[in-house]
Amino acid sequence: MTEQSEWRFSDDRGQQSTAPRPPGRVLAYIQAGATLWDLGIRPVAIFGSDHDGPDPDTAKTGTLPLADVEYVGAGSALDVERLLSAEPDLVVAVSYGGGHVYGLAPETAKPLEERVPVVVLDVSQARTFGEIGDRFAELARSLGATGRPDADQDLDAARERLRAVVAATSADAPRVLALSPAGPDQAHVARPKMWPELRVLTELGVRLVEPAEGPGANWSTLDRTDTFALRPEVILTDIRAHAAPLEELRGSEGTPTPVVPWNPEPLYGPRDHARFLGRVADALEAARAS
C-alpha cells in the first residue's frame, strides 16, 4: 500500500470505511487506543465510557504515552463536537455485541459517524482473545503499522512459561479467582467462560474457580464470606478506577494470597498480554512456594 492509495476497512458490523489515504489522526476508545499503541499506531486522542471520569483510567491505558495523547472525556461529557475537537480522520470504537458503539450514546454515535469514519471492533465473549487480537492487528496494519516479531516471540515465551508453571503444579494446582471488589462486604466474581482473556488462562491449564450458577451473566455477586469460601489461592483483582481496592474487601481477616492486577477490559496487543501471562505465572509460583 502506498501513502496515496485508497484506504478501506470493513469493521465487525460489516460496515466498510474508506478514505483517500490511510487515516493518520485516530480517536479511539481508551481500550482500543492502548491496544493500537501496543501494535505500533499512536492515536491522537482517546475517550472513555460511562465507568470513567474526567481523567483517563490508567489501569486501561497500558503504555500509552498520555502526555502526548489527548483524553477528550467520557460518558455524558461527550458530544459530537467534543469528540471532533481532536480533529480525527478515523474513530476506532469497540462493541460488546449488536454493533452498539460502547461508551457513546446512540444520539452521539450516529451523528459522529455522519462526519468521520467509525470502525467498530467486537470484543464480546462471542469471540476468542486471539480472534479479537487478530482484528486489531489487521486494523493496525491497514493504518501503516509494521509487525513486531519480538513482540510475538515474547508472547509465545510467556505462554510456554505459564504452561510449564501449570504443569509443575498440576498435582495440586492453585485455585485462581477473578473478581471485581465492590466494597468491604461484596465482590463481583467473574464467570471465566464469559471473558476471552480468562478463557486463555483456562486453555493454558490455569485452574480458574467457577462460581455457582445464578443471576448475572458475566459476574456472580457474592458477599465477602461467600467470596472467600471459594478458597482462592491466587486472586486476579479488577484494578479499574471504579472498582474498590481488594484490601477493602479482604480486610485483616483475609488469607494472604498472591494477587495479580487484572483489567477486565484488556489490551489485545502481544506485549501487554505477555506481561499479564507473566504476572499470572509469577503468582502461581508464589502460591506453590507458600
Side-chain angles (χ1 to χ4, degrees):
M1 178 186 292
T2 65
E3 184 179 353
Q4 298 300 315
S5 64
E6 184 180 52
W7 175 82
R8 296 175 180 270
F9 190 86
S10 182
D11 72 6
D12 291 341
R13 303 170 297 174
Q15 296 187 19
Q16 187 175 80
S17 294
T18 62
R21 59 186 59 84
R25 295 186 60 83
V26 177
L27 166 67
Y29 175 61
I30 189 169
Q31 176 191 37
T35 296
L36 288 173
W37 170 246
D38 198 31
L39 293 167
I41 297 295
R42 177 183 291 184
V44 297
I46 54 175
F47 65 91
S49 73
D50 290 335
H51 289 305
D52 297 315
D55 298 310
D57 183 349
T58 55
K60 301 180 183 182
T61 56
T63 59
L64 194 66
L66 297 178
D68 303 317
V69 177
E70 182 184 3
Y71 179 68
V72 299
S76 60
L78 292 177
D79 57 27
V80 174
E81 296 308 321
R82 179 63 179 156
L83 290 161
L84 293 177
S85 66
E87 301 181 347
D89 51 15
L90 175 67
V91 176
V92 179
V94 302
S95 173
Y96 284 91
H100 172 69
V101 179
Y102 183 67
L104 298 181
E107 57 269 25
T108 300
K110 183 175 180 181
L112 176 67
E113 196 154 11
E114 292 171 353
R115 297 175 62 177
V116 64
V118 176
V119 165
V120 179
L121 298 183
D122 188 342
V123 298
S124 71
Q125 56 85 22
R127 286 189 154 175
T128 68
F129 191 93
E131 288 169 343
I132 298 169
D134 287 346
R135 287 294 281 155
F136 272 106
E138 182 182 356
L139 174 60
R141 286 193 299 271
S142 81
L143 296 173
T146 56
R148 295 179 175 181
D150 58 327
D152 292 331
Q153 291 169 6
D154 289 346
L155 179 54
D156 290 342
R159 287 176 174 171
E160 288 307 311
R161 181 189 169 216
L162 183 53
R163 284 193 185 98
V165 170
V166 168
T169 62
S170 59
D172 189 20
R175 294 168 58 83
V176 179
L177 185 67
L179 55 78
S180 180
D185 302 315
Q186 194 175 71
H188 306 301
V189 176
R191 299 190 184 280
K193 295 177 183 177
M194 304 303 291
W195 301 87
E197 190 173 41
L198 298 184
R199 293 205 302 268
V200 170
L201 297 183
T202 301
E203 291 162 3
L204 293 172
V206 176
R207 186 185 179 189
L208 278 157
V209 177
E210 180 78 48
E213 293 185 5
N218 299 326
W219 306 97
S220 175
T221 301
L222 304 177
D223 63 27
R224 176 182 175 182
T225 299
D226 288 342
T227 297
F228 289 103
L230 294 172
R231 297 180 292 109
E233 295 165 278
V234 172
I235 295 176
L236 310 185
T237 188
D238 187 351
I239 56 168
R240 293 175 297 175
H242 67 274
L246 177 62
E247 292 311 314
E248 187 175 308
L249 171 71
R250 186 160 56 177
S252 60
E253 300 176 10
T255 302
T257 55
V259 174
V260 178
W262 174 49
N263 171 20
E265 298 181 56
L267 279 61
Y268 291 94
R271 292 185 186 277
D272 191 82
H273 190 42
R275 283 190 288 269
F276 174 70
L277 297 182
R279 294 186 189 110
V280 173
D282 290 343
L284 293 177
E285 288 186 326
R288 180 179 60 181
S290 63

